[in-house]
Each structure stands twice: as C-alpha cells, then as structure tokens.
Amino acid sequence: MNHSKKVILFILLVTSIQLVLSAFSKEIVAYYPYFKNVNLLSDILVKEKTAKGEIKIKQKSKSFTAEGHLINEFDDYQKKNTLIRFNTDTLIPALPKITQKMLQLAEGKNVKIRIAWFGDSQIEGDFITQDVREQLQNYFGQQKGVGYVPISCVSSDFRRTAKVFLNGDFNVDNFKKQEHNSGLFLSGYSFFSNNLEVDFRDNIKKNATQKTQKWLLYGRGDTIAVKINDSVVKLPANSEFNRVLIGSGVSSKAKFTLYAKHTPVYGVSSEPQSGIVLDNYSFRGITGVELKKISSSLLAELDKIGYYDLIVFQYGVNLLFQPNDTNYDYYYRGMRPMLKKFQNNMPNTEFLLFSCSDRAFNYDGQWKTAIGIDSLIQTQARLSYDTNTPFYNFYKSIGGNGTIVKWADSIVPFANKDYIHFNYKGAKAVSKTIFKALINDYQKAVTLKKLNKPVITTAPVNVKVPVRNKQVAPNSPMITPKAEKPIIKADSI
C-alpha cells in the first residue's frame, strides 16, 4: 500500500514539474534547448477552435526592428483604419512608392498618379471610388477627371460621374462570355463594332480653365479607324494595349465614330494632365478570381510603360453566398495564383488587398452579420501575408459586426435592404474611412521626409537601404489636338 502511494506521489511530482516546464517553456528553452520537446500544453496553447469554426491564432510577443520600432505581424490584420504591410516597420508606409509620388504632388511637381480599383457590384456605378477620387484630388489640390469609362456596362444608366451615349450595333466579350479571339481588358470587357457612334461625357466638376485629356483605349487586332468630325484615320493595333488622344481642352465631351470589327476597344479615359487618376473596374457578381483571364502580356505591357502606380483589389461579399459557410480555403487556392500573376507581370506596381465589407443573413428571423465573415477575412489576410501584399481591414474600419444591418435599418439608411450594398450616403461614408487610411499612410512618408529618412526600402526592416523611385514615362500614340477640334495624327506605340 505504501509502495503504491510512493508511485502515485512520484507520478504527481513528475507531472507537476512537466507542467511548470511547459508553462515557462519559452524562458527555459532559451537557456536549455534540450527542453524544447517538453511541453504538455502545446496542443492547447497553439490554437483553439471557436464556436464558428475559426482558428484562433496564439498571441505572440511583439517583434521590433533594430531601432526599436514595432513590426507588423499577422495578427495586425485586425487593425482598423490602417494599411498593413506585414513583416515591416510600422513607421514605414505600406505603399512607399505611391506615397513618395504624393510627396512630389504636394511639392507642386508635374506628376501623375494612376490607380486601378477592382471590385464587384459594391463599387459599380463608381460608388465609393468616385468619392475616394474626389477626396484625393481635393487633398492634393490637383486637376480632376473621371478616369477610365467602358463603352458600355450594366451600371451605365445610374453612373453619375460619366455618361456614354451610343448609336449603332456592337458586340461584347466579358468575363462570362467571350466569343472573339481577343483578350479582355482589365475591366473584364472588350467591345467590337464596324460602325459605332460614341458620345462621351465626363461629368466630374472641374475648374472652367482646366484642360482634360480624352484617350481612346484599345487592344491588339488588324486595324482600327476613328472618325472625328469629317476626318477618318486608321490606327495600328499591334500591341495588347494602345491608346490614342482623341481630344484635349476645357470641354469634358468627346464625340467620335469607331470602326473596329476585329480589334477590341476597351473604353475611354478622361484625365487631367497631372495629379490623381483613379480608374473604376467594377464587374458585378465576381470574387476576383476571374481576373486570371486577363492576359499576362497585357499586364506586362502596362507595367513596361509605367501605367499604374497602385492596384486595389476590393472583393469578398460574393463569397458569402451561403449563410453558414465558414471555410474559404478554396478561395485562397484560387486567388493566390491571380495575385502572383499580377505581381510577376507588374513588378513596378504596388498592390493593396481589401478585406470584404459587412454582409448579413436572416438567422431565425433576425438579420445578423454572416457567421463566416471572420473566417473569410482571416483567409484574405493570409493571402495578403503570403503574397507580401499590403492589407486593409475594410470590415473593421467601417464598424465591424452588425454595421450593415444598422445602416440598412436606420431612419436615414446608409445601405440597401439586401444587407450587402451601400447606398449613396453609405458609399460616401465608407469612402471617407478609406481616404483616411490612405492619408495616414501618406503621413508616414511625410514624417520620414522630415527626419531625412528614406521612404522606400527593399532591405529587411532592421536595415535602412534607400532606393530611387524610378519613374517611367509612357510612350503613347496621339491624335494631336488643336484647341477643341482634334486633328488626327497617328503614331505607333
């Protein structure tokens, strides 16, 4: 009997010692590495399952640079109102290249910053992007313009910032239907017509003396002909991306006729000669994976001429189509190759990945935020982390859980009763939140400049290595304008 008690006491003593070693394993292993496998609590501490199936990642001690600055770690994806670049100094801008060009704009230099903003129906009709564009242009006191506008799309009727009136027949290729042997543009659209009259109008309010450039964008084909007034000129279509200036002056309008039966026409870009250009690329019902259909050669040509400084991906709500889904690993597997494709073909462009916004379902008679939204946002953050893409937690920044229900059910609603889409008031409200995050990132560059420190570094976070921001000027063909009446003159790209 006494022998049994001794055995039990010995087992309890050994177990207690092991529990103490496990609880303080980090401190002990630092001095006695051979204790690294003695941790009875490892399965408990590493991760725990939540009621919704989400994996809760163990909180780690914070990491610092050699200068003592905090480093952005994965858990920081939950921060709101902040652009996060993982594994970098928190004092360095998440978008160093574009913020450096913003510094040049603030100094009054003749610089153009071009942003491509991809999204689903939440941004169609220029929702959200029209307000972000306006706020950026106002902040830097620059000239204005609507940027890219497709020849036609599902939001044409209710878009306020631009109108395109058409006369004639045309065919359309898009992400969901592609009949021609030609590539799609970034918008997911390409247009073909043998005789199409186009009346384009940029409705952005501008200074009465500001000149606006109107560019026709098109792709590779046999030839394309453009008629302005009574002058018709054939233009080469040898590249995946071609643009021709069809007007420049104080007028915000452009009228022309297209002859492009076998050449894809992408749309029109109305933009200032310098400042911020923000292009809205909305396509209803997609998740972002569809962008893989855009050709690598088109992306490479855009990068070669330095066309885009920043590309924003804003997707997610269309993944929440089943109210009880909590696993989005399939989205990671589909989206990661698309992101890498863009990055590999556009190494001179910066990228920013948004989390989804809030979306609600009816659970037992009550509208509530989708139960899988935390899991989806964590998946999107993992995409960002694994591809070294800056991340913005859109969901947290606009209010998080319950926001879309509150906004839709308010006396003055900010969202529609589908509990997915913002109305005009809501779009303007969230745009202010996005703008604030972008300017906060820019202010980091302002601070670094005041301290005479580099904004752009390519070395690890604890090493300071300044890198020149090399700017490439586009080399594009032009229809040389004369006052308000363009005279067509074509050059090869």
Side-chain angles (χ1 to χ4, degrees):
M1 185 69 179
N2 291 334
H3 181 72
S4 298
K5 286 183 178 180
K6 289 180 180 179
V7 171
I8 293 172
L9 288 172
F10 177 76
I11 292 173
L12 289 173
L13 177 63
V14 171
T15 303
S16 299
I17 293 172
Q18 288 183 321
L19 286 171
V20 171
L21 292 174
S22 299
F24 298 95
S25 60
K26 288 185 178 179
E27 291 79 4
I28 294 173
V29 169
Y31 296 97
Y32 303 99
Y34 42 82
F35 276 101
K36 65 182 179 180
N37 293 321
V38 182
N39 192 343
L40 301 181
L41 304 176
S42 60
D43 290 335
I44 300 175
L45 295 177
V46 171
K47 57 188 177 182
E48 71 181 87
K49 293 278 186 177
T50 68
K52 297 177 182 179
E54 177 197 1
I55 294 177
K56 185 177 180 181
I57 297 178
K58 177 180 65 175
Q59 294 291 325
K60 300 185 296 183
S61 58
K62 288 292 184 180
S63 300
F64 298 84
T65 66
E67 294 83 5
H69 305 154
L70 276 172
I71 293 174
N72 286 313
E73 297 176 342
F74 181 75
D75 289 347
D76 291 318
Y77 81 86
Q78 300 184 66
K79 287 183 178 180
K80 60 182 181 180
N81 301 324
T82 305
L83 307 187
I84 301 294
R85 181 181 286 275
F86 297 112
N87 297 321
T88 59
D89 189 334
T90 56
L91 299 184
I92 295 176
L95 303 172
K97 292 182 180 180
I98 195 171
T99 53
Q100 188 175 70
K101 292 187 75 171
M102 287 177 174
L103 288 172
Q104 296 172 5
L105 269 185
E107 294 170 354
K109 295 182 179 179
N110 187 20
V111 175
K112 183 176 286 189
I113 296 174
R114 194 184 299 273
I115 302 169
W117 202 292
F118 290 90
D120 49 36
S121 58
Q122 282 202 326
I123 68 165
E124 74 177 7
D126 214 8
F127 269 44
I128 301 176
T129 49
Q130 64 184 357
D131 298 303
V132 174
R133 181 192 301 115
E134 182 179 20
Q135 290 171 86
L136 285 172
Q137 290 172 344
N138 288 341
Y139 185 88
F140 290 100
Q142 295 296 315
Q143 304 173 66
K144 299 182 178 182
V146 71
Y148 169 79
V149 179
I151 295 296
S152 179
C153 67
V154 293
S155 62
S156 297
D157 291 340
F158 63 85
R159 180 170 184 168
R160 297 179 177 180
T161 53
K163 291 292 182 183
V164 182
F165 301 96
L166 303 173
N167 183 21
D169 296 327
F170 60 93
N171 295 314
V172 183
D173 280 1
N174 58 46
F175 283 141
K176 298 180 179 181
K177 176 184 74 73
Q178 192 168 359
E179 298 176 351
H180 297 78
N181 187 26
S182 298
L184 298 172
F185 190 48
L186 302 179
S187 61
Y189 290 98
S190 290
F191 304 89
F192 304 82
S193 178
N194 194 38
N195 188 350
L196 183 65
E197 296 178 5
V198 181
D199 182 356
F200 170 83
R201 302 178 188 183
D202 178 348
N203 293 334
I204 300 293
K205 292 182 179 180
K206 312 173 190 66
N207 185 299
T209 62
Q210 179 196 314
K211 292 184 178 181
T212 306
Q213 297 176 332
K214 276 75 70 176
W215 296 88
L216 176 65
L217 312 180
Y218 61 98
R220 185 190 299 275
D222 47 11
T223 59
I224 181 173
V226 180
K227 177 182 178 181
I228 299 178
N229 298 326
D230 296 323
S231 179
V232 180
V233 167
K234 289 185 178 180
L235 300 166
N238 302 321
S239 302
E240 295 289 339
F241 180 72
N242 308 278
R243 64 175 187 162
V244 60
L245 192 63
I246 54 175
S248 180
V250 295
S251 174
S252 294
K253 301 178 181 180
K255 290 185 178 181
F256 55 94
T257 302
L258 282 172
Y259 306 95
K261 186 176 182 180
H262 301 293
T263 299
V265 176
Y266 300 148
V268 178
S269 180
S270 178
E271 57 196 64
Q273 294 175 312
S274 67
I276 305 287
V277 179
L278 195 158
D279 295 337
N280 175 295
Y281 291 122
S282 61
F283 198 102
R284 183 181 298 180
I286 68 173
T287 65
V289 173
E290 293 82 358
L291 299 179
K292 66 183 180 182
K293 295 181 180 180
I294 297 171
S295 72
S296 297
S297 55
L298 172 62
L299 299 178
E301 286 190 24
L302 289 169
D303 189 70
K304 185 178 179 180
I305 63 173
Y307 199 67
Y308 282 112
D309 298 285
L310 172 65
I311 291 180
V312 178
F313 299 108
Q314 181 184 335
Y315 294 104
V317 291
N318 288 316
L319 290 157
L320 297 164
F321 59 91
Q322 294 290 344
N324 296 312
D325 280 357
T326 57
N327 189 324
Y328 298 95
D329 289 344
Y330 70 92
Y331 184 60
Y332 179 96
R333 293 191 295 270
M335 195 69 169
R336 192 176 191 275
M338 187 282 292
L339 288 172
K340 297 301 294 183
K341 177 179 181 177
F342 270 72
Q343 290 175 328
N344 291 338
N345 288 285
M346 305 185 77
N348 296 306
T349 301
E350 291 184 310
F351 298 88
L352 175 61
L353 181 65
F354 273 42
S355 80
C356 69
S357 64
D358 194 16
R359 174 172 182 171
F361 288 99
N362 192 316
Y363 297 102
D364 299 323
Q366 187 175 358
W367 287 93
K368 297 180 182 178
T369 291
I371 64 172
I373 203 162
D374 291 329
S375 178
L376 172 57
I377 293 173
Q378 189 179 84
T379 300
Q380 291 177 312
R382 185 157 57 94
L383 273 168
S384 177
Y385 187 93
D386 291 347
T387 58
N388 193 29
T389 305
F391 183 77
Y392 174 63
N393 196 320
F394 187 34
Y395 170 74
K396 289 277 188 182
S397 297
I398 64 173
N401 190 290
T403 297
I404 199 72
V405 175
K406 180 175 66 177
W407 284 16
D409 293 344
S410 296
I411 296 175
V412 180
F414 275 47
N416 299 329
K417 284 293 187 178
D418 61 2
Y419 299 97
I420 302 172
H421 297 94
F422 307 108
N423 59 20
Y424 278 105
K425 288 185 175 66
K428 186 176 288 292
V430 301
S431 76
K432 292 178 180 178
T433 304
I434 297 168
F435 170 74
K436 179 181 178 181
L438 292 170
I439 295 304
N440 285 345
D441 202 54
Y442 162 69
Q443 288 298 332
K444 292 181 180 181
V446 173
T447 300
L448 290 173
K449 184 178 180 181
K450 289 179 179 178
L451 296 173
N452 199 29
K453 293 185 177 181
V455 176
I456 299 178
T457 62
T458 56
V461 292
N462 58 343
V463 181
K464 304 174 186 176
V465 180
V467 178
R468 291 182 180 178
N469 184 22
K470 185 177 180 182
Q471 300 179 22
V472 182
N475 178 23
S476 307
M478 299 177 63
I479 297 178
T480 307
K482 180 180 180 182
E484 295 299 317
K485 295 182 179 180
I487 299 175
I488 298 178
K489 180 180 178 182
D491 301 311
S492 60
I493 195 165

